[in-house]
Amino acid sequence: MLKFTQIKKPRTLNKLNKVIFAILCALIFWLPIPLGSYRVWAIMFFGFVVSATFILHLVNCAHSKQAIFPDKSSWPLMGTLLAVISVLTIQLLPTSVQSIDPNQTFVMLLKTITMLMFAWLILLYVNNKERIKTLIYWLVAAGVCQALYALFLYFNPDLKSFVFQYEWNPRATGSFTYSNFLANYLGLCLSLGIGLYFTTFKNTNDSRSIMQKVRGLLNNLFTRALLIRFCLILIVIGILLTKSRMGNVAFFISLSFVSCMAFFLLKDKPKQFKVLLISFLVIDFAIFSALIGFDDLTNRLAETDFIKERRDEVYLITLNGIINKPLLGHGGGSFYTAFPQYKDIFFSGHYDNAHNDLLQFALEVGIPMTFILVLLVGWMFIKCICNMRIKASRFYHGVNIGIATALLYMSLHIFVDYPLQSGANGNTFIATLSLFILINRFRNKI
């Protein structure tokens, strides 16, 4: 009887560990479904589930040897999120630096706390190679579902979107409210998916005969890799259907740059890596885009006029606001309230976002905090590129390539839009930053 009791407790706790990991995967998949978690009610529901899961984590810690805190390797990310929370908390105090819109600042504070808990749980419960792989699979699956839903609505103009009954849009939106949000989200999914696809390549032996090499290549292409490849093609089509200028251009630049760096820096790159480069950079963006209206996208790029769109004026007005309060900003989430205070009487445009997440963040929380965030992402990206030179497993290098592509892609996209304002995009990006920490923590084990 005593022996039975000793065995039963670890099994129960092991189940709780698995339950928490399953919830994290489900949350990754759920994030884009309710309007990209852009509405307050949607992101608050996500926050409620994350909070409940965090309580489960504390229960798990109380009855097992599960660590409460992530290890010290996670503190660059956790410390940055805590710094943002500290600034937002200060802005809510009745002082000279109080937010000009306390309600929106409080909402942003809750969102940031949710991000902190979400990253906390990922860093603790995605604790081995299989769980890292599973989490990425769920992310790719979410991207495929969004791409399929976008395709369905795009080619059925007489239908309205499910539940919320949005009218047909000539630019695919999926379950998001804005086509550029969808493009950015799919770009993140595609980046990590490409990294996952890279892990399916096997080491080749140059001493094999030509027929053996051909057979090995076909085995790689028509097994599990084929399913992943097909999923990635669907996501590519979804991005193209959004007709997002920077969404498409930023991804092409990111994939080209990271792939070229990997091609020159990886010491043990698979022979199929060249095929992957040619496939994504030529076939997908040429043949498939021609089939679904690449001309529309190129026309939008050719007709881009920042002066006509008045975004240059928005940037200048936002800069004036940043200069006025450079240290702690006007308050988290206060752009809508702060922006009208600096525009002149001749500016009649209506903007609830700056169409530049960096400028908007600097306006809301100040230059120092924005610099810390840029420093974090920049350090991670440079580390990803440097990691290509080290000797490690194919899985490690694949995920590393995916993360580097995602980081560069987001960094480029936020210069002309506001994708991080979407709960789905922002929290998926947090998950990507967490994956960077995880693969470096387990480098010798994966």
Side-chain angles (χ1 to χ4, degrees):
M1 185 67 184
L2 182 60
K3 191 174 182 179
F4 175 77
T5 304
Q6 289 175 343
I7 295 174
K8 184 177 180 181
K9 188 176 180 181
R11 285 181 177 175
T12 304
L13 294 172
N14 189 47
K15 285 183 179 179
L16 187 57
N17 191 293
K18 291 179 179 179
V19 166
I20 292 174
F21 175 67
I23 293 173
L24 291 175
C25 292
L27 286 171
I28 286 286
F29 189 84
W30 167 260
L31 269 169
I33 293 176
L35 302 179
S37 295
Y38 186 51
R39 298 289 186 260
V40 173
W41 59 265
I43 196 61
M44 288 301 114
F45 174 77
F46 174 76
F48 172 78
V49 178
V50 170
S51 301
T53 309
F54 195 82
I55 293 173
L56 273 182
H57 159 63
L58 296 178
V59 172
N60 191 22
C61 294
H63 295 86
S64 73
K65 294 181 180 180
Q66 171 65 51
I68 297 179
F69 302 100
D71 67 15
K72 61 181 181 180
S73 66
S74 65
W75 282 102
L77 174 59
M78 305 295 281
T80 301
L81 290 173
L82 285 171
V84 176
I85 290 171
S86 300
V87 171
L88 294 172
T89 303
I90 292 172
Q91 291 175 341
L92 289 173
L93 299 176
T95 63
S96 59
V97 295
Q98 184 178 17
S99 170
I100 62 173
D101 193 341
N103 291 332
Q104 287 301 317
T105 302
F106 182 68
V107 170
M108 187 171 175
L109 175 62
L110 293 179
K111 290 180 181 179
T112 311
I113 293 173
T114 298
M115 286 182 173
L116 176 69
M117 291 190 294
F118 190 49
W120 192 315
L121 293 170
I122 290 175
L123 291 167
L124 283 172
Y125 289 91
V126 185
N127 51 14
N128 56 50
K129 175 182 175 180
E130 288 305 314
R131 288 194 171 185
I132 292 173
K133 187 185 296 185
T134 300
L135 192 74
I136 298 175
Y137 271 124
W138 275 95
L139 182 60
V140 172
V144 170
C145 288
Q146 285 297 316
L148 288 173
Y149 184 53
L151 279 165
F152 174 76
L153 292 179
Y154 184 84
F155 290 109
N156 290 276
D158 296 332
L159 294 178
K160 295 181 179 179
S161 66
F162 299 147
V163 183
F164 297 101
Q165 298 293 297
Y166 278 83
E167 296 288 344
W168 181 80
N169 192 325
R171 297 175 59 194
T173 58
S175 65
F176 288 78
T177 58
Y178 181 36
S179 57
N180 285 350
F181 285 168
L182 175 63
N184 183 269
Y185 179 79
L186 293 180
L188 294 177
C189 297
L190 185 57
S191 298
L192 292 171
I194 289 173
L196 193 64
Y197 184 56
F198 181 87
T199 67
T200 63
F201 294 151
K202 298 178 180 179
N203 291 322
T204 56
N205 185 357
D206 290 335
S207 63
R208 297 180 304 168
S209 66
I210 295 177
M211 287 304 298
Q212 287 176 325
K213 291 180 179 179
V214 171
R215 191 180 298 113
L217 178 61
L218 292 176
N219 285 337
N220 277 327
L221 292 177
F222 294 100
T223 53
R224 177 169 57 102
L226 179 64
L227 177 61
I228 298 175
R229 185 72 183 88
F230 180 69
C231 291
L232 299 183
I233 289 172
L234 288 175
I235 297 176
V236 168
I237 295 174
I239 295 177
L240 290 165
L241 282 179
T242 65
K243 300 174 185 174
S244 170
R245 292 164 293 195
M246 198 56 174
N248 283 274
V249 172
F251 183 78
F252 187 83
I253 293 172
S254 303
L255 181 61
S256 301
F257 179 80
V258 175
S259 297
C260 289
M261 295 300 293
F263 186 78
F264 289 108
L265 295 178
L266 284 179
K267 296 179 180 179
D268 186 29
K269 52 184 170 287
K271 298 293 183 181
Q272 302 96 320
F273 189 58
K274 295 179 182 178
V275 178
L276 177 66
L277 283 179
I278 296 172
S279 174
F280 274 102
L281 299 180
V282 179
I283 298 176
D284 290 350
F285 283 89
I287 298 177
F288 283 101
S289 55
L291 290 175
I292 61 174
F294 186 63
D295 290 340
D296 291 342
L297 176 61
T298 53
N299 288 338
R300 291 196 77 235
L301 286 169
E303 294 170 1
T304 299
D305 188 341
F306 277 85
I307 296 177
K308 183 178 180 181
E309 294 183 10
R310 307 194 72 178
R311 289 192 187 181
D312 58 327
E313 293 182 52
V314 176
Y315 298 161
L316 290 174
I317 294 170
T318 305
L319 281 171
N320 288 333
I322 294 171
I323 294 170
N324 190 44
K325 290 187 176 182
L327 294 180
L328 292 176
H330 294 70
S334 65
F335 178 86
Y336 183 81
T337 306
F339 183 75
Q341 297 181 9
Y342 297 98
K343 68 178 185 179
D344 55 43
I345 59 174
F346 301 104
F347 186 90
S348 58
H350 174 77
Y351 284 85
D352 52 5
N353 288 283
H355 287 269
N356 184 314
D357 269 329
L358 277 180
L359 289 180
Q360 182 164 336
F361 204 74
L363 179 77
E364 293 179 353
V365 299
I367 294 175
M369 193 66 252
T370 305
F371 177 75
I372 292 173
L373 287 169
V374 171
L375 195 64
L376 174 71
V377 175
W379 168 72
M380 287 186 173
F381 177 73
I382 293 172
K383 182 74 172 174
C384 282
I385 299 300
C386 294
N387 286 345
M388 294 178 184
R389 297 182 60 88
I390 66 176
K391 187 176 182 180
S393 67
R394 185 62 44 77
F395 179 81
Y396 174 82
H397 281 307
V399 177
N400 188 70
I401 288 170
I403 293 171
T405 307
L407 293 178
L408 183 56
Y409 174 66
M410 181 63 82
S411 300
L412 292 173
H413 201 182
I414 62 174
F415 271 102
V416 295
D417 226 318
Y418 51 103
L420 290 175
Q421 303 302 316
S422 165
N425 299 32
N427 284 281
T428 299
F429 191 60
I430 288 294
T432 304
L433 300 181
S434 301
L435 283 173
F436 166 85
I437 293 170
L438 290 170
I439 63 162
N440 284 281
R441 180 194 299 170
F442 301 123
R443 188 181 75 190
N444 297 325
K445 299 179 181 180
I446 60 177

